[in-house]
Short mmCIF file of all heavy atoms in Angstrom, two decimals:
data_model
loop_
_atom_site.label_atom_id
_atom_site.label_comp_id
_atom_site.label_asym_id
_atom_site.label_seq_id
_atom_site.Cartn_x
_atom_site.Cartn_y
_atom_site.Cartn_z
N ALA A 1 -29.70 -196.39 33.95
CA ALA A 1 -29.89 -196.18 35.39
C ALA A 1 -31.16 -195.36 35.60
O ALA A 1 -31.77 -194.89 34.64
CB ALA A 1 -28.68 -195.48 36.00
N ALA A 2 -31.53 -195.17 36.85
CA ALA A 2 -32.76 -194.45 37.18
C ALA A 2 -32.73 -192.99 36.71
O ALA A 2 -33.77 -192.44 36.35
CB ALA A 2 -33.02 -194.50 38.68
N THR A 3 -31.56 -192.37 36.73
CA THR A 3 -31.46 -190.99 36.26
C THR A 3 -30.32 -190.89 35.24
O THR A 3 -29.34 -191.65 35.30
CB THR A 3 -31.17 -189.99 37.40
OG1 THR A 3 -29.84 -190.22 37.90
CG2 THR A 3 -32.18 -190.13 38.53
N CYS A 4 -30.45 -189.94 34.35
CA CYS A 4 -29.42 -189.72 33.34
C CYS A 4 -28.12 -189.26 33.99
O CYS A 4 -27.04 -189.63 33.54
CB CYS A 4 -29.90 -188.71 32.30
SG CYS A 4 -28.78 -188.59 30.89
N MET A 5 -28.21 -188.47 35.06
CA MET A 5 -27.01 -188.01 35.76
C MET A 5 -26.22 -189.19 36.31
O MET A 5 -24.99 -189.24 36.17
CB MET A 5 -27.35 -187.04 36.89
CG MET A 5 -26.12 -186.46 37.52
SD MET A 5 -26.31 -185.17 38.78
CE MET A 5 -27.99 -185.11 39.18
N THR A 6 -26.91 -190.14 36.90
CA THR A 6 -26.24 -191.34 37.42
C THR A 6 -25.62 -192.14 36.27
O THR A 6 -24.47 -192.57 36.35
CB THR A 6 -27.24 -192.22 38.20
OG1 THR A 6 -27.74 -191.47 39.30
CG2 THR A 6 -26.58 -193.49 38.70
N ALA A 7 -26.38 -192.33 35.20
CA ALA A 7 -25.89 -193.09 34.05
C ALA A 7 -24.66 -192.42 33.45
O ALA A 7 -23.67 -193.10 33.12
CB ALA A 7 -26.99 -193.24 33.01
N ASP A 8 -24.67 -191.10 33.32
CA ASP A 8 -23.56 -190.37 32.73
C ASP A 8 -22.31 -190.49 33.58
O ASP A 8 -21.22 -190.76 33.07
CB ASP A 8 -23.95 -188.90 32.53
CG ASP A 8 -22.88 -188.12 31.80
OD1 ASP A 8 -22.35 -188.63 30.79
OD2 ASP A 8 -22.59 -186.99 32.23
N GLY A 9 -22.46 -190.29 34.87
CA GLY A 9 -21.30 -190.41 35.76
C GLY A 9 -20.72 -191.80 35.75
O GLY A 9 -19.50 -191.99 35.70
N LEU A 10 -21.59 -192.80 35.79
CA LEU A 10 -21.12 -194.18 35.77
C LEU A 10 -20.46 -194.54 34.44
O LEU A 10 -19.43 -195.23 34.42
CB LEU A 10 -22.27 -195.15 36.05
CG LEU A 10 -22.67 -195.30 37.50
CD1 LEU A 10 -23.97 -196.10 37.63
CD2 LEU A 10 -21.56 -195.97 38.30
N ALA A 11 -21.02 -194.07 33.34
CA ALA A 11 -20.44 -194.40 32.03
C ALA A 11 -19.00 -193.90 31.94
O ALA A 11 -18.11 -194.64 31.50
CB ALA A 11 -21.29 -193.80 30.91
N THR A 12 -18.76 -192.69 32.39
CA THR A 12 -17.39 -192.15 32.36
C THR A 12 -16.50 -192.89 33.36
O THR A 12 -15.36 -193.23 33.04
CB THR A 12 -17.40 -190.64 32.66
OG1 THR A 12 -18.24 -190.00 31.69
CG2 THR A 12 -16.00 -190.06 32.58
N ALA A 13 -17.01 -193.16 34.55
CA ALA A 13 -16.22 -193.89 35.54
C ALA A 13 -15.85 -195.28 35.04
O ALA A 13 -14.71 -195.73 35.23
CB ALA A 13 -17.00 -194.00 36.85
N LEU A 14 -16.78 -195.96 34.39
CA LEU A 14 -16.50 -197.30 33.87
C LEU A 14 -15.46 -197.25 32.77
O LEU A 14 -14.66 -198.18 32.63
CB LEU A 14 -17.77 -197.98 33.38
CG LEU A 14 -18.87 -198.20 34.43
CD1 LEU A 14 -20.05 -198.93 33.80
CD2 LEU A 14 -18.36 -198.94 35.64
N MET A 15 -15.46 -196.18 31.97
CA MET A 15 -14.41 -196.02 30.95
C MET A 15 -13.03 -196.02 31.60
O MET A 15 -12.10 -196.62 31.09
CB MET A 15 -14.58 -194.68 30.20
CG MET A 15 -15.72 -194.59 29.24
SD MET A 15 -15.41 -195.35 27.64
CE MET A 15 -13.93 -194.56 27.07
N VAL A 16 -12.93 -195.37 32.74
CA VAL A 16 -11.65 -195.27 33.44
C VAL A 16 -11.32 -196.58 34.16
O VAL A 16 -10.17 -197.04 34.13
CB VAL A 16 -11.67 -194.09 34.45
CG1 VAL A 16 -10.41 -194.08 35.30
CG2 VAL A 16 -11.84 -192.77 33.70
N MET A 17 -12.31 -197.20 34.76
CA MET A 17 -12.09 -198.41 35.55
C MET A 17 -11.64 -199.61 34.73
O MET A 17 -10.92 -200.47 35.22
CB MET A 17 -13.36 -198.80 36.31
CG MET A 17 -13.76 -197.82 37.37
SD MET A 17 -15.35 -198.21 38.11
CE MET A 17 -14.88 -199.64 39.10
N GLY A 18 -12.09 -199.68 33.49
CA GLY A 18 -11.79 -200.84 32.66
C GLY A 18 -12.94 -201.82 32.69
O GLY A 18 -13.82 -201.75 33.56
N PRO A 19 -12.97 -202.75 31.73
CA PRO A 19 -14.13 -203.63 31.58
C PRO A 19 -14.40 -204.54 32.78
O PRO A 19 -15.54 -204.65 33.22
CB PRO A 19 -13.83 -204.43 30.32
CG PRO A 19 -12.42 -204.19 29.98
CD PRO A 19 -11.97 -202.96 30.69
N GLN A 20 -13.40 -205.20 33.30
CA GLN A 20 -13.64 -206.15 34.39
C GLN A 20 -14.10 -205.45 35.66
O GLN A 20 -15.11 -205.82 36.26
CB GLN A 20 -12.39 -207.00 34.67
CG GLN A 20 -12.08 -207.99 33.58
CD GLN A 20 -11.32 -207.37 32.40
OE1 GLN A 20 -10.72 -206.30 32.52
NE2 GLN A 20 -11.38 -208.03 31.26
N LYS A 21 -13.36 -204.46 36.11
CA LYS A 21 -13.72 -203.75 37.33
C LYS A 21 -15.04 -203.00 37.17
O LYS A 21 -15.84 -202.94 38.10
CB LYS A 21 -12.62 -202.77 37.74
CG LYS A 21 -11.38 -203.44 38.28
CD LYS A 21 -10.35 -202.42 38.68
CE LYS A 21 -9.09 -203.10 39.19
NZ LYS A 21 -8.05 -202.13 39.53
N GLY A 22 -15.27 -202.44 35.99
CA GLY A 22 -16.49 -201.69 35.74
C GLY A 22 -17.73 -202.57 35.81
O GLY A 22 -18.72 -202.22 36.47
N VAL A 23 -17.70 -203.72 35.15
CA VAL A 23 -18.84 -204.64 35.17
C VAL A 23 -19.05 -205.17 36.58
O VAL A 23 -20.19 -205.32 37.04
CB VAL A 23 -18.66 -205.77 34.15
CG1 VAL A 23 -19.72 -206.85 34.33
CG2 VAL A 23 -18.72 -205.21 32.72
N LYS A 24 -17.96 -205.42 37.29
CA LYS A 24 -18.07 -205.88 38.67
C LYS A 24 -18.81 -204.87 39.54
O LYS A 24 -19.64 -205.22 40.37
CB LYS A 24 -16.67 -206.14 39.22
CG LYS A 24 -16.58 -207.13 40.33
CD LYS A 24 -15.11 -207.34 40.66
CE LYS A 24 -14.90 -208.71 41.18
NZ LYS A 24 -13.52 -208.99 41.53
N LEU A 25 -18.52 -203.58 39.35
CA LEU A 25 -19.21 -202.53 40.09
C LEU A 25 -20.69 -202.51 39.73
O LEU A 25 -21.55 -202.49 40.61
CB LEU A 25 -18.60 -201.16 39.79
CG LEU A 25 -19.38 -199.95 40.31
CD1 LEU A 25 -19.45 -199.97 41.83
CD2 LEU A 25 -18.79 -198.66 39.79
N VAL A 26 -21.02 -202.52 38.45
CA VAL A 26 -22.42 -202.47 38.01
C VAL A 26 -23.19 -203.68 38.53
O VAL A 26 -24.36 -203.55 38.90
CB VAL A 26 -22.50 -202.35 36.48
CG1 VAL A 26 -23.92 -202.56 35.98
CG2 VAL A 26 -21.99 -200.99 36.03
N ASP A 27 -22.56 -204.83 38.59
CA ASP A 27 -23.23 -206.03 39.12
C ASP A 27 -23.68 -205.83 40.57
O ASP A 27 -24.62 -206.48 41.02
CB ASP A 27 -22.32 -207.25 39.03
CG ASP A 27 -22.21 -207.79 37.62
OD1 ASP A 27 -23.05 -207.42 36.76
OD2 ASP A 27 -21.28 -208.59 37.36
N ARG A 28 -23.04 -204.94 41.30
CA ARG A 28 -23.40 -204.69 42.70
C ARG A 28 -24.45 -203.60 42.85
O ARG A 28 -24.97 -203.38 43.95
CB ARG A 28 -22.15 -204.29 43.49
CG ARG A 28 -21.12 -205.40 43.61
CD ARG A 28 -20.04 -205.10 44.64
NE ARG A 28 -19.60 -203.72 44.69
CZ ARG A 28 -18.43 -203.26 44.26
NH1 ARG A 28 -17.57 -204.07 43.69
NH2 ARG A 28 -18.11 -201.99 44.38
N LEU A 29 -24.77 -202.88 41.77
CA LEU A 29 -25.71 -201.76 41.84
C LEU A 29 -27.10 -202.19 41.38
O LEU A 29 -27.26 -202.69 40.27
CB LEU A 29 -25.22 -200.61 40.96
CG LEU A 29 -23.85 -200.03 41.32
CD1 LEU A 29 -23.43 -198.99 40.29
CD2 LEU A 29 -23.88 -199.43 42.72
N GLU A 30 -28.07 -201.98 42.23
CA GLU A 30 -29.45 -202.37 41.91
C GLU A 30 -30.03 -201.42 40.87
O GLU A 30 -29.88 -200.20 40.96
CB GLU A 30 -30.30 -202.33 43.18
CG GLU A 30 -31.67 -202.93 42.98
CD GLU A 30 -32.43 -203.03 44.29
OE1 GLU A 30 -31.80 -203.31 45.32
OE2 GLU A 30 -33.64 -202.79 44.26
N GLY A 31 -30.67 -201.98 39.85
CA GLY A 31 -31.35 -201.17 38.84
C GLY A 31 -30.42 -200.51 37.83
O GLY A 31 -30.83 -199.58 37.15
#
């Protein structure tokens, strides 16, 4: 992601969300 803080927060959130929901979220986020 553009910043490490964003990447770190998202990485942990995606761990919790699970693979399908997590990838679906990232597909909606630009960059």
Side-chain angles (χ1 to χ4, degrees):
T3 69
C4 189
M5 185 174 11
T6 299
D8 186 44
L10 281 170
T12 303
L14 298 182
M15 287 280 305
V16 173
M17 293 174 73
Q20 290 82 19
K21 288 181 181 178
V23 170
K24 206 175 209 180
L25 170 64
V26 169
D27 285 345
R28 294 192 322 252
L29 300 174
E30 190 173 323

